[in-house]
Amino acid sequence: MLFYVVLLLLGAGAYYYHFTANRKKIIERLEVVAQRRRDDLAKNVEETRRIADKLDPKRRDYVGGLDFIQLQNELQKGTVTCVEAVRTYFHKAILAHEKTNAVTCFILEADQQAEELDEKAKQASYVKPPMFGVPLSLKECLKVKGYDTTRGFVQDAYRPATEDSIQIEHYKKLGLIPFCQTNVPQSLLSYNCSNPLFGTTTNPFDSTRTCGGSSGGEGALIGGRGSIIGIGTDVGGSVRIPCHFTGTAGIKPSKMRFAHRGGGASVPGKPMIDANDGPMAQDVKANVEFLRNVWGDIDFQSDRDPYCPPVHWNESLYSSEKKLRVGYYIDDGWFTPTPALQRAVLESKKHLENAGHTVIPFYPPRLTKVMQLYFRAVCLDGGQYVLNKLLKDIIEPTIRFQVTLWMVPTWVQRILSYPVSLVFPRMAVLMQSLTRDTFELREAYADIEAYREEYVGMMMKDNLDVILCPASVMPAPQHDIPSKVVSGVSYTCLYNLLDFGAGVVPVTTVSKSDEEKLINEYPETDKWYQTVKKATIGAIGMPIGVQVAAPPFREEAVLRTMREIELAITGK
Ligand SMILES: CCCCCCCC/C=C\CCCCCCCC(=O)NCC(=O)O
């Protein structure tokens, strides 16, 4: 017996030695690659600065002061040139990047593309496309020919995409000029924004706090006024959470409203958790104008990807005079949001009521079950795909906690969940979420289908057009918090599980009285609540958004609601 125990220990020791020695070698090699990539970025920024500086600063200030619609109009009229627009945003993006580390690469050909468009515009026969010359920033994982899509994995540096995805091709056809790529968290499965290749992107309002993720670089850049419009991706909140954290507006459409051919994903092959790309901008107006033009011309995408139905922009749904029926909630029953987030929903409710809409309480059913289904279906292989990639890479310290959870075998998590449930029931829910076998996974898929039916059934019973709710559980926390509170995505991941269109509009900022309420009234019943409370102390002044959601193909109703809230708040 002793012999076998010794043999087992020696075997385990040898395996561990081999594993750590091998990882040490991998990490040493990757550190060289990462350093080279950062050096290249520094040169790329300098080259961009050289191009940006060719534009007269007075002209730059003028162009940089225009909002999306004004810039679009001036480019159409020819009173601003494409070169002026690109050089202005090269300059503004460098400033935002210096503050937040948002950019992973400037697309230098943007300047050339702008010159070519300006040349074309001189021909009398040339018809300008609707977004002629508008500079567009892109989340790093989107496929642009000749550029990396590393998703924060050092192992994927210097492996440029060989083609533009259909969506990028379409944006170029509509006249947009992709001018930079922006940072992401390693793996994209996190709502912070840090990786071992490009480092940490910070919040433009407070560098000790995250800009959110995974489209965090977009949030930091747009919130820091370095881009006028950008594209993110969202499988659990990655467009909406950065918008909420950085005071920007964006929407994740339901999955089928864009073509996905030639695109990428954080974890390919997770059929019941629907992801989509979505615009992010400084205001809702820009999102509307962008989608009106993209969906107005959606045949371009449908013709190239038969899985994208040719569903056009529905102007009558957006511009309808018919008053809306809105269901709202301030607490999903899984994770109570901090006071500022609840106040933002109640203020938005008032704005909508003042505009004549009917706003009634709505209670999303069984969120505890939803969280289990979401984590089971998003990590449908128990996290193995991502873990395999991570183990071949330098692991980002700010997501280490989350990675450790993936490393514990599912059966161990299940056993441990029973004692844990006695002291930390919500954690136990998560520990029972990763799938044990395909039987359980099939059951989860069936449950998601049933939940979708139940949810839309509830909305139909109350004749609801849209849902109004918090965008998250807290304002932007410190960089390491998202990995420690993965369960905090309940407000956004629900709408991926349902495949609804869902957007976030900025509404307010954290006030002193929100902080007092937080200190005196916010729950401390478990570790997650304690962490959120601690992270939110000191967040006075940080932006707060609200979320609006509606069933698939009703994104125009979402945008209408968001726009009405924006109009009531900003008056413009
Ligand atoms: C013992 C607990 C086991 C559960 C471990 C869970 C580990 C975390 C897994 C997933 C986290 C999901 C967070 C989602 C954040 C937003 C991600 C997103 O939208 N990404 C965009 C994209 O993938 O394109």
Side-chain angles (χ1 to χ4, degrees):
M1 179 66 184
L2 185 66
F3 171 75
Y4 288 112
V5 171
V6 171
L7 204 64
L8 196 71
L9 286 176
L10 280 174
Y15 176 78
Y16 180 74
Y17 175 78
H18 177 75
F19 177 79
T20 44
N22 197 27
R23 261 198 67 73
K24 194 165 169 261
K25 259 194 250 155
I26 292 174
I27 287 168
E28 276 168 9
R29 186 176 56 76
L30 291 177
E31 256 154 14
V32 175
V33 176
Q35 189 53 54
R36 188 176 137 215
R37 189 66 195 80
R38 284 191 290 271
D39 292 345
D40 284 350
L41 173 59
K43 283 185 219 147
N44 171 262
V45 172
E46 284 322 304
E47 179 67 1
T48 308
R49 197 191 307 275
R50 204 184 52 72
I51 297 169
D53 285 350
K54 289 184 194 166
L55 183 65
D56 170 41
K58 274 210 190 97
R59 195 65 192 143
R60 188 165 67 200
D61 289 349
Y62 174 75
V63 176
L66 302 172
D67 70 17
F68 182 92
I69 307 286
Q70 291 165 332
L71 178 62
Q72 184 192 24
N73 285 340
E74 295 232 22
L75 283 159
Q76 287 291 324
K77 283 189 289 182
T79 43
V80 169
T81 66
C82 302
V83 165
E84 286 178 324
V86 164
R87 291 183 185 170
T88 296
Y89 275 93
F90 270 170
H91 173 79
K92 286 179 69 122
I94 290 173
L95 295 184
H97 173 68
E98 284 170 347
K99 192 170 168 197
T100 62
N101 189 36
V103 174
T104 60
C105 188
F106 281 97
I107 300 175
L108 297 173
E109 301 96 283
D111 197 55
Q112 172 86 29
Q113 197 188 332
E115 275 176 9
E116 283 166 12
L117 284 177
D118 285 334
E119 261 325 293
K120 276 190 189 164
K122 288 180 188 158
Q123 298 160 18
S125 59
Y126 181 71
V127 179
K128 288 181 179 175
M131 290 185 277
F132 178 77
V134 176
L136 175 74
S137 51
L138 298 171
K139 183 174 179 178
E140 192 252 18
C141 60
L142 299 168
K143 293 217 171 121
V144 183
K145 187 176 174 183
Y147 287 85
D148 278 353
T149 54
T150 66
R151 294 163 292 156
F153 290 111
V154 184
Q155 64 195 277
D156 291 333
Y158 299 106
R159 290 185 188 171
T162 50
E163 293 297 336
D164 284 347
S165 71
I166 289 172
Q167 286 190 47
I168 301 298
E169 230 186 292
H170 193 192
Y171 301 149
K172 287 182 179 169
K173 181 208 166 216
L174 292 170
L176 292 150
I177 304 182
F179 78 104
C180 71
Q181 294 180 293
T182 56
N183 206 18
V184 296
Q186 188 176 36
S187 83
L188 306 185
L189 284 182
S190 173
Y191 61 101
N192 75 351
C193 193
S194 208
N195 66 62
L197 196 51
F198 299 109
T200 301
T201 304
T202 60
N203 193 298
F205 296 90
D206 178 349
S207 63
T208 66
R209 294 177 182 271
T210 179
C211 51
S214 60
S215 316
E218 284 301 317
L221 192 67
I222 298 167
R225 298 299 182 250
S227 170
I228 206 158
I229 189 148
I231 308 292
T233 67
D234 188 318
V235 86
S238 285
V239 162
R240 291 160 288 160
I241 296 171
C243 283
H244 159 63
F245 285 176
T246 61
T248 53
I251 178 168
K252 169 209 80 76
S254 51
K255 180 179 176 180
M256 289 173 89
R257 289 212 73 169
F258 284 135
H260 297 284
R261 243 183 94 206
S266 46
V267 181
K270 44 179 176 12
M272 291 305 282
I273 298 299
D274 288 310
N276 212 343
D277 303 6
M280 297 166 69
Q282 290 169 14
D283 54 34
V284 180
K285 264 192 297 182
N287 281 279
V288 171
E289 185 55 21
F290 174 85
L291 287 172
R292 185 182 267 136
N293 285 305
V294 173
W295 287 337
D297 187 48
I298 196 65
D299 293 350
F300 180 93
Q301 296 193 28
S302 302
D303 289 349
R304 285 157 184 80
D305 180 353
Y307 291 98
C308 172
V311 177
H312 289 249
W313 168 261
N314 187 340
E315 186 62 43
S316 60
L317 191 55
Y318 179 73
S319 305
S320 169
E321 303 265 293
K322 190 173 159 265
K323 296 299 174 196
L324 294 163
R325 285 183 57 83
V326 182
Y328 85 98
Y329 57 95
I330 55 171
D331 189 334
D332 65 6
W334 162 257
F335 211 134
T336 301
T338 58
L341 283 96
Q342 301 197 29
R343 177 172 60 79
V345 174
L346 295 174
E347 285 178 11
S348 305
K349 171 180 178 278
K350 274 231 168 70
H351 294 313
L352 292 172
E353 284 169 342
N354 290 343
H357 304 297
T358 303
V359 189
I360 61 167
F362 179 86
Y363 301 101
R366 294 178 280 107
L367 252 290
T368 301
K369 180 71 183 169
V370 166
M371 291 313 286
Q372 215 167 59
L373 291 175
Y374 176 78
F375 283 112
R376 188 163 293 171
V378 83
C379 307
L380 74 173
D381 56 0
Q384 204 56 51
Y385 172 86
V386 177
L387 195 58
N388 287 349
K389 272 198 87 81
L390 285 163
L391 292 177
K392 284 189 233 133
D393 220 283
I394 304 170
I395 297 176
E396 162 56 36
T398 60
I399 60 163
R400 212 166 262 159
F401 186 81
Q402 186 171 331
V403 177
T404 312
L405 296 179
W406 274 319
M407 287 174 89
V408 180
T410 308
W411 63 271
V412 177
Q413 291 192 21
R414 288 289 167 100
I415 294 170
L416 291 177
S417 73
Y418 293 102
V420 168
S421 69
L422 301 174
V423 285
F424 193 169
R426 293 197 300 164
M427 183 64 184
V429 168
L430 238 62
M431 292 173 80
Q432 287 164 15
S433 67
L434 296 188
T435 199
R436 225 175 19 200
D437 50 37
T438 49
F439 179 81
E440 211 178 51
L441 192 61
R442 189 208 59 77
E443 267 188 338
Y445 285 2
D447 286 349
I448 292 173
E449 281 169 358
Y451 188 83
R452 288 181 178 184
E453 283 183 24
E454 180 183 352
Y455 201 98
V456 293
M458 284 171 69
M459 284 185 73
M460 285 186 216
K461 191 171 141 282
D462 280 337
N463 207 10
L464 295 177
D465 299 296
V466 295
I467 300 291
L468 168 72
C469 65
S472 169
V473 296
M474 60 187 149
Q478 295 76 13
H479 302 277
D480 59 327
I481 302 298
S483 152
K484 292 179 180 156
V485 193
V486 281
S487 58
V489 294
S490 64
Y491 289 88
T492 45
C493 76
L494 169 64
Y495 295 107
N496 297 85
L497 184 131
L498 291 167
D499 194 25
F500 277 25
V504 163
V505 50
V507 164
T508 185
T509 54
V510 181
S511 68
K512 196 161 183 309
S513 75
D514 292 325
E515 176 144 311
E516 277 160 15
K517 228 171 164 191
L518 173 88
I519 292 167
N520 297 324
E521 294 171 24
Y522 193 68
E524 288 181 11
T525 40
D526 65 29
K527 185 77 186 147
W528 287 335
Y529 276 132
Q530 290 154 17
T531 306
V532 164
K533 185 167 187 168
K534 195 165 161 226
T536 305
I537 290 174
I540 293 174
M542 293 305 288
I544 301 290
V546 293
Q547 183 173 210
V548 180
F553 304 110
R554 287 161 176 78
E555 282 75 13
E556 290 83 348
V558 172
L559 288 162
R560 174 188 172 191
T561 315
M562 289 167 64
R563 175 71 190 125
E564 293 206 23
I565 295 171
E566 175 175 87
L567 197 59
I569 293 168
T570 63
K572 56 182 178 133

